[in-house]
Amino acid sequence: MQLFRSLLAIGAAAFALSAQAADLATLSVHVQGIEPESSIPDANALCVPTANGKSGPGQSLRPSIAWSPGPAGTKSYVVIVSDPDVPQDLTQADKPQTIPADAPRQTFYHWVQLAIPADVARIGGSDETAQPKVGIGAINDVTAANPFGYGGPCPPWNDLRVHHYHFQVLALDVASLTLPKGATGKMVANVLPGHVLARGEVVGTYTTNAQLLHAK
């Protein structure tokens, strides 16, 4: 009986989450130079392919991002750039042996900007050292040189999976989220449920793997 009640509770929670997702309004999102499911320009990447089949430093220029206004009740926006295709075992990154496409993966947060005022609908592009003038940056998983800003794509050159980068904008029902100082992107993502009124995204792709680049 206890197991049956637990299964009912899990099912009810899953249904509630599905219903909430179905009720979300959609934001129209535009990212400079990035078309949906197309390759991200090298200028926006932290690592770029090199002639020897590996990768080297890129410019990591932050593209501008713009979005349509959120629904009534929107009090702030969050911009999240994440890559769910990062290998869980990073000790194998950029080594002679390849990382299989089906290797276990984790999500990396490349840029998280929260507490963006409700009357803002665009953040301009810039180099990685310049912070946006609106909102608050969370700590990203990518670059120690600019932990609170944008860190561009930098997939391992020996990874046989093309990485997908989700440029998301979410409209929230609160002006700011309850978070400690120095919150990480993952911490931001964990407190978002229940506060999102609308969302939209552009998904770009990137790889530095020579085999995948030649297959294009």
Side-chain angles (χ1 to χ4, degrees), residues 47-99:
C47 302
V48 295
T50 55
N52 64 355
K54 297 182 179 181
S55 64
Q59 294 177 276
S60 195
L61 300 179
R62 186 183 73 235
S64 66
I65 182 167
W67 57 91
S68 58
T74 297
K75 295 183 179 178
S76 71
Y77 296 100
V78 173
V79 173
I80 299 177
V81 180
S82 62
D83 171 10
D85 296 315
V86 174
Q88 283 187 8
D89 183 5
L90 285 173
T91 64
Q92 302 304 309
D94 300 328
K95 299 289 180 62
Q97 67 272 24
T98 58
I99 299 173

Side-chain angles (χ1 to χ4, degrees), residues 68-186:
S68 58
T74 297
K75 295 183 179 178
S76 71
Y77 296 100
V78 173
V79 173
I80 299 177
V81 180
S82 62
D83 171 10
D85 296 315
V86 174
Q88 283 187 8
D89 183 5
L90 285 173
T91 64
Q92 302 304 309
D94 300 328
K95 299 289 180 62
Q97 67 272 24
T98 58
I99 299 173
D102 61 355
R105 304 287 161 160
Q106 61 180 316
T107 297
F108 256 42
Y109 293 90
H110 286 250
W111 180 37
V112 178
Q113 194 76 5
L114 60 152
I116 301 169
D119 60 352
V120 174
R122 181 181 181 275
I123 294 178
S126 182
D127 66 63
E128 68 167 343
T129 62
Q131 300 293 97
K133 298 184 182 300
V134 294
I136 301 169
I139 297 176
N140 64 48
D141 294 322
V142 185
T143 169
N146 187 29
F148 291 96
Y150 169 83
C154 189
W157 54 260
N158 62 333
D159 193 353
L160 293 179
R161 179 185 290 194
V162 174
H163 287 222
H164 295 75
Y165 297 84
H166 296 251
F167 290 74
Q168 291 189 81
V169 181
L170 302 99
L172 306 186
D173 63 358
V174 291
S176 63
L177 296 164
T178 302
L179 290 161
K181 185 178 181 180
T184 64
K186 184 176 182 180

